Amino acid sequence: AGATAEIVNAHGDNHVYEGGVCTLCGAVNMATGSVSVSKSHNDMATIAGVTVGQNTGVVDGTAIALDDHITVQFDKANAGTAPCIYSSGVRLYQNGATMTIKADGATMTTIVITTADNYTGGSVLTVTGGTISSSGGILTITVDEGATEIVITTGADKANRLYVANIEVIYTEE
């Protein structure tokens, strides 16, 4: 007789999926053949070669490879302050800072961003290449079919900052 594997999750219950993401813990319901890459802001600081902290963690215009297929880049763009990795996350400031997630040799399906310090971008984040939803500090982007790049842009006031604690990208290899 074979053993039965028990799935343990953060909330100790069965997952409750809505839009492909568990409403209780943010876990993604992955399709067969999908790959997941997940990096915290501390992982991204290590990859970018910066020290976490004001002035030392600046990552403006730096492409950060999450793996062989997925990169993320944070840009000041029209914001007054450059993106920087602090102890709680990558800060994207108001007035048009951008985060670009690109796939090379892969097809992205879902991106899950865990935010920090209640800075979820408010309700005015602009996303090109996908559709965004927000629940309890978790942003979920359903990637448009055929999109190889997702660009997230912050809104106009301080409440529209986005602090990124973790990024998870679900994709299939091409």
Side-chain angles (χ1 to χ4, degrees), residues 7 15 25 41 56 95 117 119 122 138 172:
I7 297 174
H15 292 290
C25 70
H41 64 287
T56 61
N95 293 323
D117 297 339
Y119 283 103
I138 305 290
T172 55

Side-chain angles (χ1 to χ4, degrees), residues 41-46 48-60 81-93 163-164:
H41 64 287
N42 288 318
D43 295 334
M44 289 184 273
T46 299
V50 299
T51 303
V52 172
Q54 184 177 8
N55 301 322
T56 61
V58 176
V59 288
D60 187 29
T81 305
C84 187
I85 303 176
Y86 285 79
S87 60
S88 61
V90 182
R91 291 187 186 181
L92 288 170
Y93 292 91
Y163 289 7
V164 178

Side-chain angles (χ1 to χ4, degrees), residues 75-109:
D75 291 291
K76 177 180 173 183
N78 296 324
T81 305
C84 187
I85 303 176
Y86 285 79
S87 60
S88 61
V90 182
R91 291 187 186 181
L92 288 170
Y93 292 91
Q94 68 272 15
N95 293 323
T98 62
M99 176 171 60
T100 304
I101 302 167
K102 293 182 182 181
D104 181 21
T107 301
M108 296 184 292
T109 56

Side-chain angles (χ1 to χ4, degrees), residues 4 26 39 43 63 109 135 140 155-156 159-160 162:
T4 302
K39 299 291 183 194
D43 295 334
T109 56
S135 177
T140 303
N160 301 135
L162 175 60

Side-chain angles (χ1 to χ4, degrees), residues 117-131:
D117 297 339
N118 296 315
Y119 283 103
T120 61
S123 60
V124 297
L125 286 176
T126 303
V127 177
T128 57
T131 306

